[in-house]
């Protein structure tokens, strides 16, 4: 029997040491609300419901990492964008505060996360969970969007991609991305003050902006932000969806303690690129976890552990957010797969 708590197990892999077994993280903010019987529209706006739903889910599923968030709108809405919260879908931004031009950046003010909705609700949920779970489980207070992803939410995706491609107003783009770094840094630090053990940011990857814009606009600002917040005491996870194989060297060089990568990224290449530098979180396809049988989920998790598990530095999880309707038995299968296939010998090799 293991004497490691979920928090110890997770911190062990982040510190490049060998745990008793692979820890599991669930990217489950939507499915927790559904499981608790709450409407997404209500739950995503309410810190108490967010916390209650995560707690109930953790007690039933026993994962090692709680990934707390309310989606991809908290920072943009706090900066003045208009969001809608449908009853049964993730919240989304419908009016972009910079829709009329990049010049509007001069009037933007970095929001106080403690008093500005909905950041203040996510902070409330963080405080509740920190009090309830204490040192038992790794509490990741997720800080929403990376600099380019947040800039896109403020400006609108098409417009920002055009701005970056034409680059006719380079000073204003720079001003906007610096503003986004400030918003994020403040939010990430507030999450820590409220008791999170670590944080994260979701950045736009090559599937959305291509490698050229990624290297020119996202990477330099990720490099400004991440080392100014992250450490082995407060790890930062960099989340990028899609095939990130080509930008693995850049992602590693940000200094992020964790890279959240999905199944489209070449796993063996990633294992090589991350070794000794970052922990891999992922990569199981959330659509597979939704559509497959428990046996199918177990097999996908087994294959991922086989490639990514040796030597540690793996937190098993979904490569991106689980849909609200993901069957609970498939999530149990994912958690169980780590117990079945992720057990280590002292030299870092896997028992199974
Ligand atoms: Zn994603």
């Amino acid at each position: 029997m293991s004497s490691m708590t979920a928090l110890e197990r997770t911190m062990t892999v982040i510190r490049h040491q060998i745990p008793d077994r692979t820890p599991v993280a669930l990217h489950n903010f939507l499915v927790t609300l559904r499981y608790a019987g709450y409407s997404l529209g209500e739950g995503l706006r309410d810190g108490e419901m967010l916390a209650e739903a995560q707690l109930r889910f953790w007690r039933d599923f026993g994962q090692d990492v709680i990934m707390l968030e309310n989606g991809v709108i908290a920072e943009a809405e706090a900066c003045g964008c208009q969001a809608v919260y449908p009853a049964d879908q993730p919240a989304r931004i419908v009016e972009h505060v910079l829709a009329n031009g990049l010049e509007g950046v001069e009037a933007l003010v970095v929001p106080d996360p403690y008093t500005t909705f909905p950041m203040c609700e996510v902070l409330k949920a963080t405080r509740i969970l920190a009090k309830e779970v204490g040192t038992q489980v790794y509490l990741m207070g997720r800080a929403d969007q990376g600099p380019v992803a947040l800039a896109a939410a403020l400006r609108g995706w098409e417009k920002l991609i055009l701005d970056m491609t034409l680059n006719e107003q380079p000073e204003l783009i720079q001003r906007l991305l610096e503003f986004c770094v400030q918003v994020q840094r403040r939010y990430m630090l507030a999450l820590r003050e409220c008791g999170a053990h670590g944080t994260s940011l979701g950045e736009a990857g090559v599937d959305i902006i291509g490698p050229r814009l990624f290297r020119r606009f996202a990477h330099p600002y990720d490099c400004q932000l991440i080392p100014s917040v992250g450490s082995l005491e407060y790890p930062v996870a960099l989340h990028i969806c899609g095939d990130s194989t080509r930008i693995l060297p850049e992602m590693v060089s940000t200094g992020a303690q964790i890279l959240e990568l999905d199944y489209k990224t070449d796993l063996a290449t990633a294992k090589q690129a991350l070794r000794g530098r970052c922990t891999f979180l992922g990569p199981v396809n959330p659509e597979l976890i939704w559509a497959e049988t428990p046996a199918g989920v177990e097999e996908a998790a087994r294959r991922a552990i086989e490639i990514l598990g040796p030597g540690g530095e793996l937190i098993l999880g979904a490569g991106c957010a689980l849909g609200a309707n993901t069957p609970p038995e498939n999530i149990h299968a994912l958690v169980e797969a780590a117990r079945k296939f992720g057990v280590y010998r002292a030299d870092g090799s896997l028992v199974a």
Side-chain angles (χ1 to χ4, degrees):
M1 287 301 287
S2 164
S3 57
M4 270 190 175
T5 64
L7 175 60
E8 286 165 349
R9 181 173 298 120
T10 307
M11 289 311 286
T12 298
V13 296
I14 294 170
R15 291 182 178 141
H16 311 284
Q17 292 159 357
I18 303 301
D20 54 349
R21 65 157 171 86
T22 302
V24 182
L26 295 178
H27 201 154
N28 59 354
F29 73 107
L30 296 171
V31 72
T32 56
L33 291 170
R34 183 63 53 84
Y35 187 76
Y38 297 146
S39 103
L40 300 186
E42 262 188 282
L44 296 174
R45 279 184 286 196
D46 185 316
E48 279 166 31
M49 289 167 103
L50 276 177
E52 162 65 27
Q54 282 285 1
L55 202 56
R56 195 183 295 188
F57 205 87
W58 175 66
R59 286 185 175 134
D60 286 357
F61 290 80
Q63 80 272 27
D64 300 283
V65 179
I66 289 179
M67 297 170 85
L68 173 67
E69 62 179 291
N70 80 331
V72 294
I73 39 67
E75 291 170 332
E77 188 176 10
C79 290
C81 292
Q82 197 192 322
V84 290
Y85 289 79
D88 56 358
Q89 281 170 31
R92 63 179 193 277
I93 299 296
V94 287
E95 265 177 44
H96 308 282
V97 73
L98 298 180
N100 293 330
L102 288 169
E103 294 76 11
V105 70
E106 305 297 350
L108 294 181
V109 177
V110 175
D112 178 347
Y114 286 98
T115 55
T116 316
F117 180 84
M119 285 173 159
C120 57
E121 293 298 322
V122 179
L123 292 186
K124 187 197 284 177
T126 308
R127 281 194 297 271
I128 296 169
L129 285 168
K131 186 159 166 271
E132 293 287 332
V133 300
T135 55
Q136 298 171 74
V137 58
Y138 183 99
L139 176 57
M140 187 190 283
R142 294 172 71 75
D144 209 321
Q145 302 283 277
V148 165
L150 177 56
L154 299 178
R155 175 81 170 120
W157 267 112
E158 289 85 2
K159 286 178 181 162
L160 185 75
I161 288 176
L162 204 60
D163 292 335
M164 292 191 298
T165 306
L166 300 176
N167 205 22
E168 288 168 345
Q169 297 174 297
E171 301 83 14
L172 287 176
I173 296 179
Q174 186 186 343
R175 182 78 193 82
L176 172 58
L177 291 169
E178 280 167 358
F179 171 80
C180 293
V181 167
Q182 286 173 25
V183 171
Q184 248 207 324
R185 186 181 289 132
R186 180 130 193 225
Y187 190 33
M188 289 171 134
L189 294 174
L191 288 159
R192 183 180 197 175
E193 288 158 8
C194 291
H197 298 114
T199 189
S200 70
L201 65 153
E203 187 55 289
V206 291
D207 284 12
I208 303 175
I209 58 174
R212 197 179 67 84
L213 294 183
F214 175 82
R215 292 193 177 106
R216 180 154 188 188
F217 293 101
H219 183 57
Y221 294 92
D222 293 346
C223 287
Q224 253 185 44
L225 173 64
I226 293 169
S228 73
V229 177
S231 68
L232 289 177
E233 281 65 52
Y234 188 60
V236 170
L238 173 59
H239 178 104
I240 296 186
C241 300
D243 185 351
S244 296
T245 313
R246 279 191 291 175
I247 54 166
L248 284 169
E250 284 85 357
M251 291 180 73
V252 169
S253 76
T254 60
Q257 285 70 32
I258 300 170
L259 299 185
E260 296 180 13
L261 296 161
D262 76 21
Y263 66 100
K264 290 180 188 161
T265 297
D266 184 80
L267 301 185
T269 307
K271 181 68 180 169
Q272 273 309 110
L274 271 63
R275 192 181 294 278
R277 304 196 51 196
C278 326
T279 290
F280 190 118
L281 194 161
V284 186
N285 181 356
E287 284 173 30
L288 179 149
I289 302 172
W290 168 71
E292 265 288 353
T293 60
V297 173
E298 179 183 294
E299 177 53 18
R302 188 196 64 72
R303 274 187 273 120
I305 293 171
E306 194 174 76
I307 301 169
L308 297 166
E313 298 173 342
L314 170 65
I315 300 170
L316 181 70
C320 199
L322 294 163
N325 296 323
T326 308
E329 59 271 26
N330 286 4
I331 300 176
H332 281 301
L334 185 72
V335 175
E336 280 309 309
R339 300 202 164 105
K340 219 162 157 178
F341 306 110
V343 177
Y344 286 100
R345 297 190 188 92
D347 68 356
S349 61
L350 292 162
V351 172

